[in-house]
Amino acid sequence: MRPRILDLNVLQTLVAIADTGTVTAAADRLAYTQSTVSMQLHRLEALLEVSLHEREGRRIRFTAEGEQLIGYARKMLALNNEALDSLRQRQVSGQLSLGIPEDYAFLLTSVLSHFSQLFPAVQLQVICGSSVRLLEQVQAGELDLAVVTRQTRSPGGEVIRREPLVWAVGAEKQPSLTDPIPLALYSPGADVFREVAEQALFSAGRQWRLAYSSQSMTGLMPVVVAGLAVVPVTRDMLTPQLRVLDERSGMPALQSIEMALHRPSGRPTEPARQMAELIREHLAGDG
């Protein structure tokens, strides 16, 4: 009798359902249709000749057999990834230059750590700078990859994450929000945060003044924490020293920004291709 073999793709679907709780959410995670996810689950039950799940409204509850298989599925998928990673480690070498805006470098900490573990033979150089400058370096062929921030629907690059912007003030102190509103903004040309803030205030008919300017959030923080200015930030950039202003503050809503991955024209090097894949996995999954 021909042995039955579990399909890793189907096991991946099973784990996605377990992690998200519904067929709909699992389909979104895997970029499948809901019917495909349901079909794979039923196919798995037919192969094993056992019921793996029960429905409770829209949510999925797994039987004891289902929970047992999920445990095995996680181990099998982890072993599959370990095998692939081991083979990739031996094949990839060379140099890689990656550009990241200083205030977003923390988002790539896990990416850089994972990459160095997977590909120890690659010499990685990380360059921090403004999104505008990093994009120029990519276009000039000085960087293999760059993650940059931009306004939504801007041309070029590959969008990997969208972040809503919010207004923030010091956790304990804040300035008066009457016109002209004191702002702490990035230096002109340093990033898109300033452009988004200016557009929102102009559209709302609000007046503002520049209280402080810097190339990074590190430089803006002291003034904001002291209660002397309002700053536009993403929620990922918030610290315990900052507090978000809600709609009751009278401040206009801010547009979201996009994080986009850029690389020079032409075929990417293998280190650049692997790094781009890791960035997509990590940032898209967290956004």
Side-chain angles (χ1 to χ4, degrees):
M1 180 178 177
R2 186 177 181 181
R4 290 177 290 183
I5 299 177
L6 295 172
D7 186 333
L8 287 178
N9 288 321
V10 177
L11 293 182
Q12 184 180 42
T13 298
L14 180 70
V15 170
I17 297 172
D19 288 344
T20 62
T22 68
V23 168
T24 300
D28 288 341
R29 171 186 285 193
L30 299 171
Y32 289 165
T33 64
Q34 294 181 38
S35 60
T36 297
V37 172
S38 297
M39 180 183 65
Q40 288 188 346
L41 182 56
H42 290 305
R43 183 188 301 164
L44 187 58
E45 290 179 321
L47 174 69
L48 298 174
E49 299 179 350
V50 65
S51 177
L52 300 174
H53 79 289
E54 298 174 354
R55 280 192 174 272
E56 292 182 346
R58 296 181 61 188
R59 297 194 67 81
I60 297 290
R61 186 179 72 83
F62 288 98
T63 62
E65 293 82 1
E67 293 289 354
Q68 183 180 19
L69 182 59
I70 290 167
Y72 283 117
R74 293 188 191 279
K75 293 176 183 177
M76 293 170 69
L77 291 169
L79 187 59
N80 174 78
N81 293 337
E82 181 181 335
L84 292 175
D85 290 344
S86 178
L87 292 172
R88 287 192 297 182
Q89 286 179 13
R90 300 180 183 180
Q91 297 172 350
V92 180
S93 61
Q95 299 180 334
L96 175 65
S97 56
L98 171 67
I100 312 172
E102 181 179 338
D103 290 327
Y104 272 96
F106 70 94
L107 286 178
L108 294 183
T109 300
S110 60
V111 175
L112 299 178
S113 176
H114 193 185
F115 184 88
S116 65
Q117 292 173 6
L118 291 178
F119 312 112
V122 175
Q123 298 178 23
L124 176 62
Q125 181 185 29
V126 180
I127 307 296
C128 286
S130 72
S131 290
V132 173
R133 176 56 183 150
L134 293 176
L135 184 54
E136 291 174 348
Q137 289 178 283
V138 169
Q139 293 169 343
E142 299 170 3
L143 290 174
D144 297 306
L145 285 173
V147 177
V148 304
T149 54
R150 68 185 193 184
Q151 294 196 52
T152 55
R153 297 181 295 278
S154 297
E158 174 190 350
V159 178
I160 54 176
R161 186 184 179 102
R162 287 184 174 84
E163 292 274 355
L165 280 183
V166 296
W167 297 106
V169 293
E172 298 181 359
K173 299 179 180 179
Q174 74 170 66
S176 168
L177 299 181
T178 58
D179 292 355
I181 303 164
L183 298 184
L185 298 174
Y186 288 103
S187 303
D191 216 322
V192 301
F193 288 55
R194 182 181 184 124
E195 297 173 28
V196 172
E198 290 178 351
Q199 288 176 4
L201 292 167
F202 177 80
S203 297
R206 301 295 303 273
Q207 300 295 314
W208 61 275
R209 64 180 179 84
L210 184 63
Y212 194 76
S213 177
S214 175
Q215 292 285 337
S216 70
M217 188 62 192
T218 302
L220 300 177
M221 277 288 287
V223 174
V224 178
V225 172
L228 302 179
V230 183
V231 65
V233 295
T234 67
R235 291 191 178 276
D236 280 330
M237 296 168 64
L238 291 170
T239 71
Q241 296 175 292
L242 298 178
R243 175 172 56 86
V244 175
L245 292 175
D246 59 27
E247 62 278 0
R248 293 173 297 177
S249 68
M251 295 293 288
L254 293 169
Q255 266 193 353
S256 294
I257 61 163
E258 295 176 339
M259 296 185 68
L261 187 63
H262 286 261
R263 63 189 184 194
S265 59
R267 185 174 182 178
T269 64
E270 186 59 20
R273 192 182 72 81
Q274 296 291 350
M275 175 62 83
E277 183 178 329
L278 281 178
I279 290 173
R280 291 187 195 99
E281 291 176 1
H282 284 254
L283 293 192
D286 294 338

